[in-house]
Amino acid sequence: MNEAETRAELIDPALKATGWGVVLESRIGREVIAPGRLLGGGKRAKPEYADYVLVYRNQKLAVIEAKKRDLRDTEGVGQAKKYAEKLQIRFAYSTNSLGIYQIDMLTGAERHISEYPTPDELWDATFSEANEWRNRFAVIPFEDKS
């Protein structure tokens, strides 16, 4: 099973089962990390994309790097950390759909988890301290049409 099949058949349903893209104000996105370095002659190298960016209440909360099922679940840890750092996101995940490896970029804690956190669980973990202004901005709907 290649990476695209692993994502479509296993990872997407697992994210949906925990509420991502289902719960109001939650979205699963794909983010351009870097457009690709300039090669010259008006050409660029291949761009870098994060496989999944989990967004809730207009805040990017986590990045997920997916690998094909035949590889280890920790194979994408380096990429996930790099993408989380560039996007300034606290949580990064690496998965092959059989296992999920979580990295907390703030504390440095790394561990295997059995399922993806729900949007509310990830929100509470990311923003454990109350902040009235953040909560007020979070209720403003995301405009996805120009």
Side-chain angles (χ1 to χ4, degrees):
M1 183 176 279
N2 65 28
E3 184 178 317
E5 292 170 333
T6 301
R7 290 180 60 194
E9 296 175 20
L10 302 170
I11 299 171
D12 291 352
L15 286 168
K16 190 174 183 180
T18 56
W20 290 101
V22 178
V23 172
L24 188 64
E25 299 183 70
S26 71
R27 293 183 293 122
I28 302 171
R30 186 174 167 116
E31 188 87 14
V32 177
I33 303 298
R37 65 184 178 88
L38 294 172
L39 298 174
K43 296 182 181 180
R44 286 188 176 269
K46 289 178 66 175
E48 292 182 351
Y49 292 96
D51 291 328
Y52 298 93
V53 175
L54 304 180
V55 180
Y56 186 51
R57 297 179 180 167
N58 301 325
Q59 294 287 323
K60 295 174 187 170
L61 299 180
V63 63
I64 301 173
E65 179 57 32
K67 294 298 178 188
K68 66 182 182 176
R69 195 171 179 175
D70 299 340
L71 297 176
R72 293 189 335 260
D73 58 356
T74 56
E75 195 74 28
V77 167
Q79 276 180 283
K81 285 180 176 181
K82 180 172 82 170
Y83 296 164
E85 186 177 321
K86 286 186 177 189
L87 294 172
Q88 298 180 351
I89 295 176
R90 180 173 177 180
F91 291 99
Y93 297 89
S94 176
T95 186
N96 63 356
S97 79
L98 297 175
I100 305 167
Y101 194 73
Q102 179 185 47
I103 303 106
D104 184 333
M105 299 295 288
L106 181 65
T107 65
E110 299 184 16
R111 65 187 177 113
H112 280 93
I113 57 174
S114 59
E115 64 181 17
Y116 297 103
T118 66
D120 285 319
E121 290 171 345
L122 200 54
W123 178 269
D124 292 342
T126 303
F127 303 115
S128 55
E129 295 178 16
N131 183 320
E132 180 184 345
W133 283 104
R134 180 185 54 241
N135 294 337
R136 290 174 75 179
F137 281 115
V139 298
I140 298 171
F142 176 74
E143 302 242 354
D144 60 350
K145 296 184 174 113
S146 57

